[in-house]
Amino acid sequence: EVQLVESGGGLVQPGGSLRLSCGASGFTFSSFWMTWVRQAPGRGLELVSIINQDGSVNYYVDPVKGRFTVSRDNAKNSLYLQMNSLRGEDTAVYYCGREDWGPDYWGQGTLVTVSS
Amino acid sequence: DVVMTQSPLSLPVTLGQPASISCRSSQSLVHSDGNTYLNWFQQRPGQSPRRLIYKISNRGSGVPDRFSGSGSGTDFTLKISRVEAEDVGVYYCMQATHWPRTFGQGTKVEIK
């Protein structure tokens, strides 16, 4: 059974940093692109970043470019999102997803709140 | 960026009756490889999204056959043949042909 478990969310002040993690199991992690999708409270979905199988290719949406960095450790079956210079508009539930021309499996999400 | 426009944004339905959601893209979703990467997701209250449909009309693993997708180019539709109580939630279309991937605004399905 495919499982994705996010962790690392919490309350952080504007300008602060946070590192999200996503542990994967139930599939060959190193064979799949992976993605981060966020959902602001009461709002829709926004795909934030995507990374290829060996971490050599990644893409970011404009609002997070230069501030967020996606990475992975295939030996640990883990996906990461380093978030720097956080802003109030980054407040959201962050989901990791297994990528198959769209996320076919999603984690339960981790809440990031940016507030003073 | 490709803009995905869903309608309606709210859809009250009667149990056992059909329902239909439209999704239109601001440009063609036909990829250079010939595929059209249009997905539909369901998000039940308090849950993570779940993929229902991929490549316009292919049902995901475990998705009931009352859900069907159709369309081409820039116009797509999700249909529920007979709505059940467990279908309450928000439905999103999403294109994966162009970067950045973009979602529709969501359609909230509720029981009348």
Side-chain angles (χ1 to χ4, degrees):
Chain A
E1 179 194 3
V2 172
Q3 286 200 322
L4 299 168
V5 180
E6 302 92 338
S7 60
L11 175 63
V12 61
Q13 292 188 337
S17 298
L18 215 52
R19 189 195 195 206
L20 306 183
S21 299
C22 171
S25 61
F27 66 101
T28 305
F29 180 72
S30 59
S31 297
F32 287 85
W33 288 62
M34 295 294 293
T35 188
W36 287 99
V37 178
R38 68 182 178 182
Q39 186 171 35
R43 305 295 294 274
L45 301 167
E46 179 181 43
L47 199 148
V48 171
S49 182
I50 192 169
I51 187 169
N52 74 335
Q53 291 92 333
D54 65 5
S56 61
V57 177
N58 51 63
Y59 297 99
Y60 302 92
V61 288
D62 283 348
V64 309
K65 277 181 185 175
R67 301 188 298 122
F68 289 12
T69 303
V70 63
S71 62
R72 64 192 294 162
D73 184 337
N74 287 340
K76 294 183 177 180
N77 290 340
S78 292
L79 175 72
Y80 306 102
L81 187 67
Q82 177 67 43
M83 304 186 296
N84 299 330
S85 303
L86 283 162
R87 307 166 180 166
E89 55 264 38
D90 297 318
T91 294
V93 174
Y94 285 73
Y95 299 98
C96 71
R98 191 180 80 168
E99 174 61 26
D100 178 29
W101 294 99
D104 61 348
Y105 287 92
W106 299 63
Q108 86 288 349
T110 187
L111 176 63
V112 172
T113 303
V114 184
S115 174
S116 55
Chain B
D1 296 2
V2 177
V3 177
M4 305 296 288
T5 304
Q6 291 182 228
S7 63
L9 299 185
S10 178
L11 184 56
V13 295
T14 301
L15 287 173
Q17 293 300 302
S20 179
I21 301 170
S22 170
C23 175
R24 290 184 172 171
S25 58
S26 60
Q27 56 185 274
S28 173
L29 299 186
V30 180
H31 193 273
S32 56
D33 66 8
N35 289 305
T36 300
Y37 295 107
L38 187 282
N39 297 276
W40 288 97
F41 296 90
Q42 174 196 61
Q43 188 174 31
R44 292 171 171 153
Q47 294 188 13
S48 303
R50 165 199 184 194
R51 186 161 78 172
L52 296 176
I53 302 286
Y54 62 97
K55 288 196 287 186
I56 302 177
S57 59
N58 296 274
R59 275 189 298 276
S61 174
V63 175
D65 60 8
R66 65 178 181 276
F67 291 95
S68 64
S70 62
S72 63
T74 61
D75 264 315
F76 306 94
T77 302
L78 176 70
K79 291 183 179 176
I80 310 174
S81 59
R82 293 173 305 279
V83 172
E84 299 189 4
E86 66 180 18
D87 300 335
V88 165
V90 181
Y91 291 77
Y92 298 92
C93 60
M94 176 208 150
Q95 65 83 17
T97 296
H98 305 282
W99 184 261
R101 312 283 181 83
T102 45
F103 290 88
Q105 321 95 300
T107 294
K108 187 173 185 178
V109 172
E110 57 186 10
I111 304 301
K112 281 183 185 175

